Amino acid sequence: MVVNPIAAVMNPQIFPLTGAVSQARTAFADSASGRGSADCEACAMTLRPPTDMPDQVFDGWVGHFAANRARGEAIEAGVDWDTAADLPENVRTAVIRSFQRFELGEGGEGLHLLRTARGQSAAPREALRMLAAEEQRHSTLFKRGLQYLGADTVTTHRSDEVFTRLRRSLGLRTELALFLAAEAVAMPYFVVLARSGPDEVMSAIGTRIALDEEHHLAFQIDQLRPGFVRMPTPVRGVVFLAWWCVAVGAATVVAIDHRAALRVCGLPVRSFWGAALRSLRRAAGATLSRE
């Protein structure tokens, strides 16, 4: 059976809250074996044996990002952006504060990553450019959601500033690793927003972003995995522990900053925190695996 990706996000039996990366990899496996949708074919490289990431693999990701733009536009076209938001004030306030912080964070994601990749060949640069464009689109979606709610964006937030400075002080590979941790931790938020957002507009924003982010995780796993293949097991264990420490901090910050919005969507803060760490564990495990 071919699973419709939008239905998968909305159906907890098909797309469990804590299994975003697992669901993505299952779709890629189906594609690689010929059982899945052609839409996922470009992403099947995640399950290949570790390689040095030849340009052909990046070409596959370029094809995916090109096709994904049309899929995302189709989701957005089905949203009635002109309707007036009819939400209780406490719900509206919770979502506004959450969207303001995500809009700020997503707006800067990918751009510095693209600048640090200037020394790479054309195919990797183009794939990273298209990844950055999707992140910018997410920022635009959060901004559009804020407009729908009658609110403005913000220009700065302390937790975003700290994380951004940390990422930008490091090299491309380490920045990708932190980027992977941040997206893995945020994934349960996007999924629950898609599944249980307070209205159809909020759910559509969550759906578009959740579908994009599962592929962003797979792309980052593809980029990072070759660098860990030949590392001794103890070294990979240390890397995992470092990732875990970052994830604990990031999950705690997101849980605190977005706790009201999580509750609006029916997800207790403690449940989000556990789901975020499980999401990171799956992503890090796939990156460090030699299988």
Side-chain angles (χ1 to χ4, degrees), residues 80-97:
D80 184 4
W81 296 102
D82 296 326
T83 189
D86 184 18
L87 297 171
E89 187 59 28
N90 65 314
V91 172
R92 180 178 168 276
T93 299
V95 176
I96 285 173
R97 290 176 178 172

Side-chain angles (χ1 to χ4, degrees), residues 91 94-95 98-99 189 192 257-267:
V91 172
V95 176
S98 180
F99 275 27
Y189 173 96
V192 78
D257 283 353
H258 302 272
R259 59 189 181 277
L262 290 168
R263 292 191 186 108
V264 162
C265 294
L267 182 64

Side-chain angles (χ1 to χ4, degrees), residues 141-161:
L141 279 172
F142 281 121
K143 183 176 181 178
R144 203 167 183 182
L146 288 168
Q147 291 171 343
Y148 166 75
L149 294 167
D152 296 323
T153 59
V154 296
T155 57
T156 184
H157 188 267
R158 184 170 54 188
S159 59
D160 180 72
E161 286 181 353

Side-chain angles (χ1 to χ4, degrees), residues 73-287:
E73 289 173 351
I75 294 173
E76 294 178 41
V79 178
D80 184 4
W81 296 102
D82 296 326
T83 189
D86 184 18
L87 297 171
E89 187 59 28
N90 65 314
V91 172
R92 180 178 168 276
T93 299
V95 176
I96 285 173
R97 290 176 178 172
S98 180
F99 275 27
Q100 284 173 332
R101 290 166 190 176
F102 270 116
E103 188 276 334
L104 183 63
E106 295 280 339
E109 294 286 11
L111 295 181
H112 182 72
L113 194 66
L114 189 57
R115 286 193 289 270
T116 60
R118 286 174 180 169
Q120 297 196 13
S121 59
R125 284 202 315 273
E126 179 62 10
L128 284 168
R129 184 196 68 77
M130 298 177 86
L131 173 71
E134 286 197 354
E135 294 293 342
Q136 289 294 298
R137 185 59 195 165
H138 296 172
S139 178
T140 300
L141 279 172
F142 281 121
K143 183 176 181 178
R144 203 167 183 182
L146 288 168
Q147 291 171 343
Y148 166 75
L149 294 167
D152 296 323
T153 59
V154 296
T155 57
T156 184
H157 188 267
R158 184 170 54 188
S159 59
D160 180 72
E161 286 181 353
V162 171
F163 188 72
T164 299
R165 287 177 183 175
L166 176 62
R167 285 193 301 111
R168 295 184 178 183
S169 66
L170 304 168
L172 176 61
R173 184 170 296 277
T174 307
E175 184 171 0
L176 275 170
L178 291 174
F179 194 25
L180 174 67
E183 297 211 325
V185 163
M187 191 66 182
Y189 173 96
F190 299 138
V191 173
V192 78
L193 180 65
R195 187 190 304 160
S196 305
D199 68 11
E200 292 183 358
V201 174
M202 303 293 101
S203 292
I205 292 172
T207 298
R208 166 70 196 271
I209 294 175
L211 290 173
D212 287 349
E213 294 293 355
E214 65 175 351
H215 295 128
H216 292 186
L217 287 171
F219 174 78
Q220 291 159 55
I221 290 168
D222 256 1
Q223 281 215 302
L224 290 167
R225 192 178 181 195
F228 294 114
V229 170
R230 295 178 181 85
M231 282 187 178
T233 299
V235 175
R236 285 185 287 118
V238 171
V239 171
F240 181 85
L241 287 175
W243 240 332
W244 187 257
C245 291
V246 171
V248 169
T252 301
V253 169
V254 174
I256 293 172
D257 283 353
H258 302 272
R259 59 189 181 277
L262 290 168
R263 292 191 186 108
V264 162
C265 294
L267 182 64
V269 171
R270 182 176 295 181
S271 297
F272 163 80
W273 195 80
L277 293 182
R278 286 189 290 273
S279 177
L280 182 280
R281 184 175 62 196
R282 288 185 175 92
T287 305

